[in-house]
Amino acid sequence: MVTPDSAAWEPEHEEDSMPTPEIMPETAQLFAAEVLAGLTKPGQKELPSKYLYDEIGSKLFEVISALPEYGLTRADERLLRLNAHSVAEELPGRVVIAELGSGSGKKTRSILKAFSRRGPTFYHPIEISATALAMCEHELSDMDSVSIVGFEREYLEGLREVAARRKRGEKILVLFLGSTIGNFDPPADVEFLQKVQGILKGGDALLLGTDLEKPMGQLIAAYDDLLGVTAAFNLNLLARLNRDLDADFTLSQFKHLARFNPETRSIEMHLKSTRAQTVSLDGGRVKVDFQDGETIWTESSRKFSFADLSRMAETSGFKSVGQWVDHEWPFAENLWIVK
Ligand SMILES: C[S@@+](CC[C@H](N)C(=O)[O-])C[C@H]1O[C@@H](n2cnc3c(N)ncnc32)[C@H](O)[C@@H]1O
């Protein structure tokens, strides 16, 4: 049971719970409201996965990308390296590149290289994480023919800003790599893609990285690695609530859990309470009870079939014009054009 005095969780407490520099005031309020809603929801408690990416979370995600168990990033990177020119050939003319949730931007280099052969290229990473955005800007800063203007924004808000700056005759290529679309549970994935499509114009494109179905053991290992980096990434969310929302989670009393949900074909990450306990947030103004074994659902990573991908393109108003598949770690890069 929860005793949220939500009226008490208002900006009047700004002084005693100053947001970290990473969070702007209005987003800090949204953060508090969404955390409160997720932890006090009847039934399964949950926290939005976007909050995994504070400074420590963004750095831990970079380490996850290099782990032997997590073949996803390497597959995505291989496909981009081998096929960036084919992507560029499909999109003649002047193209502005916007990337949703760029992370460190390392993999994006091949795409930017392919487009910058034609001339100066504009690149807009859109990131909720100031740390990831800074890593991305630093990572690609040596590309002389690429102008980088990043937006520390939520995906759609950032994309709207990029679209509003479009000059006559320019096309937009949206990159959404790393299978981040798998973090949206259906039907939110298609609803999100429809919104992206709605911001774009006919002839604009989306390059969508999608992790494909694979054996469950391989998936569990990828999200529960032997070094415990993914566990640290997940638990850092509670540490973040302690830091930024004046909560008192005892980290050793929660365990990282990765499990496969066969109905949704997703790997779910949870944080499991190892005992019955009460946690407080906002300096004790909000209390959340946990039963022994109860979990907080922190992320889903859905795995796609080719049929899913065709259906998603069709229902979100795109036409598929290219698909490249990695067979070492089943993963597909999909190039869709707005109809
Ligand atoms: C799974 S990581 C992928 C990073 C990179 N694209 C890759 O493929 O390695 C997701 C990235 O999206 C960012 N992100 C998550 N939710 C977001 C949102 N709602 N708006 C903007 N960025 C978001 C995170 O900060 C993180 O860097």
Side-chain angles (χ1 to χ4, degrees):
M1 276 308 298
V2 185
T3 52
D5 178 1
S6 41
W9 206 344
E10 289 291 326
E12 68 192 72
H13 304 302
E14 249 168 14
E15 269 171 33
D16 46 58
S17 60
M18 278 296 285
T20 61
E22 185 151 323
I23 310 173
M24 291 174 291
E26 69 277 16
T27 40
Q29 244 181 301
L30 180 68
F31 174 41
E34 290 187 333
V35 165
L36 177 65
L39 292 180
T40 60
K41 199 173 150 269
Q44 175 70 62
K45 292 180 170 60
E46 58 186 50
L47 289 169
S49 63
K50 62 185 175 185
Y51 294 126
L52 290 162
Y53 299 91
D54 66 347
E55 181 180 356
I56 294 175
S58 291
K59 288 179 177 164
L60 286 172
F61 182 74
E62 275 306 291
V63 183
I64 291 172
S65 299
L67 292 171
E69 294 96 329
Y70 196 78
L72 191 157
T73 305
R74 284 182 293 280
D76 201 2
E77 194 275 333
R78 271 193 298 274
L79 289 170
L80 294 170
R81 187 163 29 84
L82 294 173
N83 302 295
H85 292 291
S86 308
V87 172
E89 271 167 25
E90 287 290 340
L91 301 169
R94 279 190 294 135
V95 178
V96 172
I97 298 171
E99 179 162 11
L100 307 179
S102 62
S104 73
K106 277 188 191 146
K107 290 178 297 187
T108 311
R109 180 177 288 273
S110 326
I111 290 285
L112 295 176
K113 236 178 165 176
F115 279 90
S116 62
R117 285 193 172 185
R118 287 184 200 164
T121 299
F122 286 87
Y123 170 57
H124 300 291
I126 298 163
E127 255 298 338
I128 199 171
S129 158
T131 300
L133 191 58
M135 286 197 280
C136 177
E137 288 169 345
H138 178 73
E139 173 71 30
L140 301 168
S141 60
D142 62 329
M143 300 192 80
D144 291 336
S145 47
V146 178
S147 302
I148 306 177
V149 178
F151 293 96
E152 191 186 329
R153 300 275 189 283
E154 294 248 5
Y155 302 128
L156 298 175
E157 209 188 321
L159 186 58
R160 276 188 208 102
E161 292 200 35
V162 172
R165 289 165 174 233
R166 176 208 296 265
K167 297 199 186 74
R168 262 175 93 90
E170 274 178 352
K171 279 186 199 133
I172 297 177
L173 165 62
V174 177
L175 308 178
F176 199 23
L177 307 177
S179 204
T180 308
I181 188 63
N183 297 159
F184 292 77
D185 290 306
D189 50 0
V190 168
E191 287 164 4
F192 178 76
L193 293 170
Q194 285 168 341
K195 286 181 189 153
V196 169
Q197 196 266 11
I199 296 170
L200 300 177
K201 283 189 187 165
D204 288 343
L206 171 66
L207 186 65
L208 185 69
T210 49
D211 203 19
L212 300 173
E213 293 175 296
K214 47 185 67 63
M216 191 168 71
Q218 195 178 1
L219 287 173
I220 297 286
Y223 291 85
D224 195 5
D225 61 276
L226 289 172
L227 282 177
V229 184
T230 313
F233 172 69
N234 199 8
L235 279 163
N236 175 57
L237 183 50
L238 301 184
R240 180 181 187 179
L241 302 192
N242 288 351
R243 286 191 293 270
D244 293 343
L245 295 180
D246 205 2
D248 66 354
F249 284 92
T250 302
L251 267 53
S252 58
Q253 294 176 7
F254 287 85
K255 289 269 168 287
H256 167 68
L257 186 70
R259 66 186 185 209
F260 185 69
N261 179 334
E263 264 173 50
T264 56
R265 286 175 285 132
S266 303
I267 285 281
E268 293 179 2
M269 291 205 315
H270 291 252
L271 289 162
K272 180 170 143 187
S273 175
T274 57
R275 64 195 67 188
Q277 58 183 314
T278 300
V279 174
S280 71
L281 293 97
D282 194 22
R285 290 177 187 89
V286 175
K287 297 213 183 294
V288 180
D289 290 342
F290 287 88
Q291 289 167 12
D292 186 5
E294 190 178 358
T295 73
I296 311 172
W297 183 9
T298 53
E299 192 187 66
S300 295
S301 297
R302 182 169 166 226
K303 305 302 160 189
F304 299 93
S305 66
F306 290 112
D308 292 331
L309 299 174
S310 313
R311 211 172 22 245
M312 280 161 69
E314 183 59 34
T315 47
S316 51
F318 290 95
K319 177 176 172 234
S320 174
V321 294
Q323 186 176 66
W324 299 272
V325 177
D326 191 84
H327 293 288
E328 195 176 324
W329 177 279
F331 189 96
E333 214 73 70
N334 309 274
L335 182 62
W336 297 352
I337 305 274
V338 174
K339 282 194 215 164

